[in-house]
Amino acid sequence: MKRTLQITVLLLGVTVGGFAQRQPQKLPAEQEIFLKYGADRLGKRQDENMKKFRDNRLGAFIHWGLYAIPGGEWNGKVYNEAAEWLKVWAKIPTNEWVKLMEQWNPTKFNPKVWAKMAKKMGVKYVKITTKHHEGFCLWPSKYSQYTIAQTPYKKDILGEMVKAYNDEGIDVHFYFSVLDWSHSDYRYDIKSKEDEVAFARFLEFTDNQLKELATRYPTVKDFWFDGTWDTSIKKNGWWTAHVEQMLKEILPGVTINSRLRADDYGKRHFDSNGHLMGDYESGYERRLPDPVKDLKVTRWDWEACMTVPENQWGYHKDWSLSYVKTPLEVLERIVHAVSMGGNMVVNFGPQPDGDFRPEEKELANIIGKWMSVNGECIYGCDYASWDKQSWGYYTRKGKDVYMIVFNPPYSRHLMVKTPGNTKITKAVVLSGKEVGVKEIAYNEYHVDMPAKDPGAPFVIKLQVEENANTSNKYREALT
Ligand code: FHN
């Protein structure tokens, strides 16, 4: 936290949305150290752009690059590890890898079809890999020789996607890997003067590419940085703070993930005083916080991202090599994230021909059907702060509390424990009928299952009366 802002905030005792906006592991204020490149603010951003980011809740990730062409196979050997890292697994030199550009010609690619599929799935934003670790750019960057312009496809495929998604009312976020395997000036660490000079050139190149992206595609709403874990970047925390500021000057309101940032001491995501850097936390990748034990995450904005197979982001031709989540498992992770005040981004790895694999189309379809009935328990919803029950998850929007039931009990009574002075006045299944509610003990209710078992996860919307005059008519046990 910068010193002047830090003092102001501490004097004002800022709280936003009812939470003291600090991490539990923070240092006591008087022990905080001075940081030039630490957090820029305490607490959640409350402006309209951030609110939109938060309310969107459900996004899709698109990992598309040269790696889609081999799809995990090189010289007849199939590698089970992440397909977008094949260059590393198969130890392929850059000059050979970039020859894949000659084969980049996705004849089935239709951005309108992609955008319609996302719309039907109910995603409100799409994160696109503008450049992954391999260095290949989906836009015709004038700073690189490895771009879409040098492929048989030639056209600005990123621009086509941005337009198509925006036309469907879907926000576009840019994934950008700072780590760039194709660039001779990239360094994993800075160990010599030569490294320092080369890496300075690399940072300038990266600045130029980022400025190019921000000015060519001014409707972009978010930059999501990746490949920022190397020591070279941790030793240049100043640069990560500079990038955030630079992008925010070009695109006021843009949101930026915590993964970009390192502070003066190379501490990432959270600075050395324990404060979140960037606008939202982006450390939950292929995992989620525990919905009972890890409630600290409800104090800041965060976004999780998830693969459908265990760890494949880019297209891999053989999904049978690892566990593939079912649509219901994907759905549960979406609900789980939102129930804890987070966003969820579900990954898609398009084929080299520009189509999606059948499993991904089916997944998008099933999630979309569910969202079209139940989306109101996801969009604009937040952590409800009611005690989690074993039947599923709660989300909340204003006065409405949603029960999202994944594990219906044999008793057919869904246990609900309300916070003090809160009464449930009505319970209705979304797109269904009202169900019975009975107070069974002080601040404990049974909400009935729908008469006909929905056979799929369902949502019950609760109307509640807060600050109600509830009295305990059940005498406490004397023990
Ligand atoms: O190495 C990448 C990986 O390929 C993928 O892009 C994910 C997406 O979050 N990020 C990195 C690993 O954290």
Side-chain angles (χ1 to χ4, degrees):
M1 189 73 205
K2 287 173 189 124
R3 183 56 95 202
T4 41
L5 176 60
Q6 178 185 342
I7 291 166
T8 320
V9 169
L10 291 174
L11 286 175
L12 293 173
V14 167
T15 60
V16 183
F19 297 115
Q21 295 299 308
R22 297 299 194 87
Q23 266 210 109
Q25 65 265 43
K26 75 170 177 74
L27 290 167
E30 66 279 6
Q31 283 177 29
E32 288 200 355
I33 53 170
F34 174 73
L35 292 172
K36 231 169 144 186
Y37 308 114
D40 301 300
R41 123 189 52 80
L42 295 183
K44 296 182 182 182
R45 252 176 72 174
Q46 296 296 359
D47 56 282
E48 283 309 305
N49 294 279
M50 193 70 217
K51 200 172 162 320
K52 176 74 169 39
F53 172 96
R54 190 181 298 136
D55 288 351
N56 281 344
R57 286 303 186 215
L58 176 61
F61 225 138
I62 298 282
H63 271 74
W64 209 27
L66 297 179
Y67 43 80
I69 296 169
E73 181 178 350
W74 199 259
N75 285 341
K77 182 169 174 198
V78 176
Y79 293 77
N80 186 20
E81 294 90 352
E84 71 283 0
W85 278 71
L86 180 66
K87 181 181 186 300
V88 170
W89 314 137
K91 300 188 174 56
I92 307 160
T94 294
N95 57 357
E96 205 178 322
W97 182 259
V98 294
K99 281 193 200 140
L100 287 168
M101 289 197 304
E102 293 161 19
Q103 295 176 56
W104 182 277
N105 197 13
T107 49
K108 291 191 182 155
F109 173 67
N110 182 340
K112 288 191 180 150
V113 172
W114 283 32
K116 288 220 174 335
M117 176 172 149
K119 178 95 178 174
K120 220 170 140 206
M121 178 178 166
V123 304
K124 298 286 185 191
Y125 63 104
V126 174
K127 285 181 134 64
I128 307 171
T129 50
T130 58
K131 177 176 91 161
H132 202 262
H133 312 331
E134 63 179 1
F136 174 64
C137 306
L138 287 188
W139 81 103
S141 173
K142 66 177 181 205
Y143 302 101
S144 169
Q145 40 179 330
Y146 310 128
T147 84
I148 195 76
Q150 283 83 41
T151 68
Y153 188 78
K154 285 197 173 67
K155 289 177 283 176
D156 175 3
I157 209 162
L158 180 64
E160 293 180 305
M161 286 188 230
V162 171
K163 177 166 185 337
Y165 285 124
N166 285 171
D167 285 352
E168 289 291 349
I170 294 172
D171 288 344
V172 171
H173 295 190
F174 283 169
Y175 166 107
F176 183 93
S177 170
V178 177
L179 164 66
D180 186 330
W181 295 326
S182 75
H183 203 292
S184 55
D185 285 333
Y186 186 78
R187 293 291 181 277
Y188 294 88
D189 196 355
I190 312 292
K191 291 186 173 154
S192 65
K193 186 74 200 158
E194 191 278 328
D195 285 342
E196 207 181 300
V197 173
F199 200 62
R201 277 197 303 267
F202 178 79
L203 294 182
E204 197 188 334
F205 151 77
T206 307
D207 275 3
N208 284 334
Q209 286 210 315
L210 289 169
K211 279 190 241 164
E212 191 179 41
L213 281 170
T215 45
R216 270 185 81 95
Y217 311 100
T219 62
V220 62
K221 298 285 184 252
D222 173 274
F223 274 80
W224 197 92
F225 287 91
D226 200 9
T228 41
W229 45 75
D230 283 329
T231 312
S232 51
I233 297 166
K234 288 197 271 182
K235 284 183 178 169
N236 282 284
W238 69 270
W239 177 79
T240 67
H242 145 81
V243 165
E244 182 165 343
Q245 199 187 338
M246 175 183 85
L247 290 174
K248 286 181 173 172
E249 274 163 21
I250 304 174
L251 295 167
V254 74
T255 51
I256 294 183
N257 66 336
S258 63
R259 202 178 286 204
L260 165 68
R261 297 287 303 273
D263 76 2
D264 314 37
Y265 298 94
K267 187 104 182 10
R268 300 184 57 238
H269 295 274
F270 291 91
D271 70 18
S272 299
N273 290 319
H275 305 306
L276 181 71
M277 295 180 286
D279 299 315
Y280 59 96
E281 209 260 45
S282 57
Y284 284 97
E285 178 171 319
R286 296 191 289 124
R287 66 189 179 100
L288 280 166
D290 183 291
V292 176
K293 294 185 203 139
D294 295 334
L295 296 182
K296 64 182 189 303
V297 299
T298 61
R299 297 179 188 172
W300 52 78
D301 284 305
W302 61 278
E303 180 196 63
C305 56
M306 188 194 65
T307 47
V308 180
E310 188 38 37
N311 184 20
Q312 295 294 347
W313 297 91
Y315 172 75
H316 192 291
K317 52 179 68 163
D318 191 355
W319 266 17
S320 74
L321 298 170
S322 80
Y323 182 71
V324 178
K325 293 171 196 75
T326 65
L328 275 191
E329 287 167 339
V330 172
L331 183 63
E332 183 159 357
R333 282 163 174 79
I334 296 168
V335 172
H336 178 159
V338 178
S339 77
M340 301 182 75
N343 288 18
M344 175 54 90
V345 185
V346 180
N347 184 66
F348 291 80
Q351 298 172 170
D353 64 3
D355 201 356
F356 287 89
R357 68 194 315 139
E359 298 95 321
E360 288 184 342
K361 287 185 194 172
E362 199 202 349
L363 172 74
N365 205 13
I366 294 175
I367 302 280
K369 278 199 180 126
W370 193 87
M371 289 295 291
S372 67
V373 178
N374 300 300
E376 75 168 87
C377 76
I378 299 291
Y379 308 126
C381 286
D382 213 329
Y383 173 57
S385 81
W386 287 20
D387 286 354
K388 168 138 177 34
Q389 302 296 324
S390 54
W391 43 255
Y393 304 86
Y394 292 108
T395 63
R396 176 172 196 148
K397 184 159 38 197
K399 279 197 169 275
D400 295 324
V401 174
Y402 298 93
M403 301 166 60
I404 302 117
V405 181
F406 279 87
N407 311 303
Y410 281 114
S411 69
R412 304 188 61 77
H413 290 138
L414 302 159
M415 165 66 86
V416 172
K417 291 189 181 176
T418 58
N421 295 331
T422 302
K423 261 188 191 167
I424 300 178
T425 52
K426 195 175 177 182
V428 184
V429 180
L430 284 190
S431 284
K433 296 199 173 121
E434 190 170 338
V435 287
V437 182
K438 193 176 276 160
E439 189 190 18
I440 56 148
Y442 185 53
N443 284 331
E444 287 187 22
Y445 293 80
H446 274 166
V447 173
D448 289 344
M449 287 275 295
K452 192 167 165 270
D453 195 333
F458 60 93
V459 181
I460 297 177
K461 181 173 172 172
L462 302 178
Q463 258 179 26
V464 300
E465 196 186 317
E466 286 173 313
N467 306 318
N469 201 0
T470 50
S471 62
N472 189 358
K473 59 184 178 187
Y474 307 94
R475 187 168 180 252
E476 293 289 332
L478 301 172
T479 57

